[in-house]
């Protein structure tokens, strides 16, 4: 059915209400409405950006960030260990959620990471079962490369590891510069081999990244285009857009605001919360589900005392390294030249060129023994416990939540010196990454290698700071509150310096820009505090864990203490994975729908 009015939505007899038409919410709704006898209503506060080039054109992928039309553009509270900086926290605003806003990478987590989710007490959530749902959500367009180039570019996907008929299209970037193989070769010379298939559960290595781009149309493939659009005519698939921020009153229904009026709609079967890692815990707390001490402070009656709500926040973060490279490199600066832009627009019509794919190609995942010494990994292992973080981080954390985080740290400790488990990630960008205070010369050519940590030891929180459902929640990431995170980033930047100085990349590099390469370790540490930015991968705030470990939902995604309220989004992921999280977001929703349908 087309998107419906508020009166049509409220007047419908709904079996399920999905609060949030984002990445996971649309997947769950689309799968549930495969049954024509089931009617699903989806509430989404944003618009349907069906024809927006900022969303659809891959080469324009970052233009929607911080634009209030597309981005909720949350902010953290001042971050103590980043000199009190307030950090941007983008979340997609509109049908498709953050899948309309993300930077399109479809790298997968490792086998040991997904098996760890089961180890934490979630029977049935492991690599084998989750791979099934990652594959169900996708179809891969294999690279059109010779066998020799497939090896050279690190693009050798094994068909058995990837989906063939799922809704989300996966493809490889069509525009690859001279820097691609130069970076792969230089990393290989510094201890990191190529990895031709990141999707096999063993992510360590350098690779040509798979992206959520439909190569046949050169457009973004995301939840709205892949799960909603093909099913929009279903009479049992109802969506109401804009001004629909939902606050759960009971597990039987939802109250929402539209044009300053409040409406209530009921669900015969279940309410599914899919508002994401920042807003799902906010809506639970506003509904009386959460830590009773927090709820009491705001005068909210506690219906279910669940201390884990809004706790256990984890995120990836990065710092940029930027160099000027040889003028022959076809990086994004050519889009600022009239002739270059015209040529790329022409190529885009043929599904080729910079605009047809992400302005990136190399991703890499580095284990601790590549970026650090044995002394480094020993030190980092010693910090994998509650007392390894700053004292205030867990000062008010409830015992059950602490117990769950300690279990996570026990697992993280094993990964620190595991050669098949990444501690750091490299993300390549064919051009200058925007850096506050740095003015790049766009007549030059640049290369950015972004350095990120993959398994944060920091733990943060998301809680209400008002009873107003339209007020943004208070986001406390606690970046760098555990010194291991800063250490790992600095070691990664120092390793990248060696990579830049290794042939054949060395011959392409004309000048180091950020950092200059002359900084001392202490200077790099201070620089990292000023440069740190989120990778936009928050998880964990409605963690799928046993209740005694601070869990919010059980292994069937049902909120503890309720009979028919589930959370289906990335807030349920209890322990951060090493990769971009969209592949797991789709898998969680696919599996969640099968759970509701009684298939598992």
């Amino acid at each position: 059915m087309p998107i419906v009015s508020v009166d049509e939505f409220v007047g419908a007899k709904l079996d399920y209400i999905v609060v949030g038409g984002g990445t996971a919410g649309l997947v769950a709704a689309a799968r549930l409405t495969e049954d024509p006898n089931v009617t699903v209503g989806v509430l989404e506060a944003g618009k349907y950006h069906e024809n927006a080039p900022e969303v659809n054109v891959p080469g324009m992928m970052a233009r929607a960030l911080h634009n209030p039309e597309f981005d909720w553009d949350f902010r953290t509270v001042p971050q103590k260990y980043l000199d009190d900086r307030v950090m941007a926290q983008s979340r997609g605003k509109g049908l498709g959620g953050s899948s309309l806003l993300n930077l399109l990478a479809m790298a997968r987590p490792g086998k040991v990471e997904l098996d760890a989710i089961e180890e934490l007490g979630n029977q049935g959530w492991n690599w084998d079962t989750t791979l099934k749902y990652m594959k169900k959500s996708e179809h891969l367009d294999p690279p059109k490369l010779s066998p020799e180039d497939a090896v050279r570019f690190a693009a050798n996907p094994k068909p058995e590891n990837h989906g063939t008929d799922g809704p989300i299209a996966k493809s490889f970037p069509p525009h690859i510069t001279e820097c691609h193989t130069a970076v792969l070769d230089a990393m290989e010379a510094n201890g990191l081999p190529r990895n031709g298939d990141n999707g096999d559960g063993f992510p360590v290595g350098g690779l040509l990244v798979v992206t959520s781009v439909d190569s046949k149309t050169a457009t973004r493939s995301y939840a709205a285009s892949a799960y909603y659009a093909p099913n929009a005519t279903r009479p049992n698939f109802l969506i109401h857009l804009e001004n629909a921020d939902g606050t759960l009153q009971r597990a039987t229904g939802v109250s929402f605001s539209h044009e300053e009026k409040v409406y209530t709609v009921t669900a015969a079967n279940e309410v599914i919360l899919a508002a994401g890692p920042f807003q799902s815990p906010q809506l639970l707390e506003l509904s009386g589900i959460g830590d009773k001490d927090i709820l009491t402070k705001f005068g909210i009656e506690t219906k279910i005392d669940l201390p884990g709500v809004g706790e256990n926040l984890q995120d990836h973060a990065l710092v940029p390294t930027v160099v000027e490279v040889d003028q022959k490199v076809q990086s994004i600066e050519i889009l600022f030249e009239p002739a270059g832009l015209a040529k790329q627009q022409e190529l885009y019509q043929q599904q080729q060129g910079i605009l047809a794919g992400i302005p990136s190609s190399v991703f890499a995942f580095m284990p601790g023994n590549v970026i650090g010494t044995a002394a480094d990994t020993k030190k980092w292992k010693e910090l994998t416990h509650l007392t390894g973080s700053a004292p205030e981080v867990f000062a008010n954390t409830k015992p059950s939540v602490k117990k769950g985080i300690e279990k996570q740290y026990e697992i993280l400790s094993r990964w620190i010196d595991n050669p098949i488990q990444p501690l750091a990630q490299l993300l390549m960008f064919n051009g200058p990454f925007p850096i506050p205070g740095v003015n790049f010369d766009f007549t030059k050519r640049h290369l950015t290698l972004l350095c990120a940590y993959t398994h944060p030891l920091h733990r943060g929180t998301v809680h209400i700071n008002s009873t107003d459902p339209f007020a943004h929640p208070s986001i406390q990431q606690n970046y760098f509150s555990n010194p291991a995170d800063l250490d790992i980033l600095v070691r990664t930047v120092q390793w990248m310096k060696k990579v830049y100085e290794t042939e054949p990349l060395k011959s392409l590099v004309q000048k180091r820009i950020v950092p200059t390469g002359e900084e001392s370790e202490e200077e790099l540490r201070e620089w990292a505090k000023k440069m740190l930015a989120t990778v936009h991968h928050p998880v964990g705030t409605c963690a799928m864990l046993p209740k005694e470990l601070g869990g919010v939902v059980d292994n069937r995604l049902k909120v503890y203490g309720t009979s028919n309220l589930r959370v289906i989004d990335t807030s349920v992921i209890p322990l951060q994975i090493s990769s971009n999280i969209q592949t797991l977001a789709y898998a969680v929703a696919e599996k969640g729908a099968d759970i509701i349908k009684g298939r598992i």
Side-chain angles (χ1 to χ4, degrees), residues 93-375:
K93 183 180 182 181
L95 210 57
S98 292
S99 69
L100 72 84
L101 194 69
N102 66 30
L103 302 189
L104 298 159
M106 290 287 282
R108 280 196 188 149
K111 181 181 186 300
V112 296
E113 296 163 12
L114 297 187
D115 287 346
I117 294 177
E118 185 170 60
E119 183 182 343
L120 285 166
N122 299 298
Q123 185 177 0
W125 290 83
N126 54 44
W127 168 259
D128 291 332
T129 56
T130 308
L131 177 62
K132 168 186 171 183
Y133 288 103
M134 289 191 285
K135 291 169 66 174
K136 183 179 180 180
S137 72
E138 66 184 34
H139 64 275
L140 174 67
D141 183 7
K144 299 172 179 63
L145 299 171
S146 68
E148 295 77 18
D149 279 348
V151 171
R152 194 160 61 93
F153 292 152
N156 302 13
K158 302 178 183 70
E160 64 270 22
N161 292 333
H162 301 273
T164 57
D165 55 5
I168 297 296
K170 296 200 313 184
S171 64
F172 290 84
H175 181 77
I176 300 173
T177 74
E178 295 88 343
C179 293
H180 180 88
T181 51
V183 169
L184 290 174
D185 288 345
M187 290 193 300
E188 199 147 23
N190 283 281
L192 189 75
R194 283 166 163 80
N195 182 346
D197 189 359
N198 172 265
D200 67 352
F202 297 92
V204 164
L207 57 129
L208 178 62
V209 67
V210 181
T211 62
S212 51
V213 173
D214 187 336
S215 61
K216 296 178 178 61
T217 59
T219 56
R220 177 188 294 268
S221 181
Y222 69 116
S225 66
Y227 281 91
Y228 171 66
N231 305 309
T233 59
R234 289 179 182 169
N236 60 338
F237 194 168
L238 279 61
I239 292 183
H240 177 61
L241 294 178
E242 290 200 89
N243 300 317
D245 264 344
T247 53
L248 297 170
Q249 302 299 302
R250 301 176 294 279
T252 56
V254 175
S255 288
F256 65 95
S257 172
H258 178 83
E259 296 180 352
E260 299 184 356
K261 289 183 65 176
V262 175
Y263 298 83
T264 298
V265 61
T266 59
N269 293 345
E270 293 190 10
V271 173
I272 299 166
L273 197 52
F278 297 149
Q279 291 176 297
S280 284
Q282 177 189 21
L283 296 180
L284 285 175
E285 289 182 334
L286 290 171
S287 307
I289 301 173
D291 184 339
K292 64 180 179 181
D293 292 337
I294 293 173
L295 302 182
T296 300
K297 185 169 67 172
F298 290 96
I300 297 173
E301 177 190 354
T302 301
K303 296 177 180 175
I304 302 174
D305 183 16
L306 212 52
V309 172
E311 298 288 308
N312 195 42
L313 174 62
Q314 300 156 61
D315 191 19
H316 293 144
L318 58 77
V319 293
T321 71
V322 186
V323 296
E324 182 185 320
V325 294
D326 193 289
Q327 284 292 111
K328 68 183 179 183
V329 174
Q330 297 287 292
S331 52
I332 66 164
E333 292 91 339
I334 63 177
L335 298 177
F336 293 84
E337 303 164 358
L341 176 59
K343 177 64 175 176
Q344 291 302 316
Q345 288 173 328
E346 179 184 333
L347 285 171
Y348 183 67
Q349 300 306 312
Q350 305 164 40
Q351 295 80 50
Q352 294 296 320
I354 292 176
L355 295 173
I358 65 172
S360 174
S361 55
V362 173
F363 270 36
F365 294 89
M366 296 84 75
N369 67 314
V370 166
I371 61 170
T373 65

Side-chain angles (χ1 to χ4, degrees), residues 29 83 376 503:
D83 301 326
D376 288 328
E503 294 290 3

Side-chain angles (χ1 to χ4, degrees), residues 449-478:
L449 296 177
L450 301 167
C451 300
Y453 52 71
T454 59
H455 290 297
L457 295 181
H458 72 82
R459 290 294 182 273
T461 59
V462 178
H463 291 299
I464 56 173
N465 54 27
S466 167
T467 56
D468 179 1
F470 296 100
H472 285 185
S474 176
I475 302 170
Q476 170 58 277
Q477 287 277 12
N478 283 319

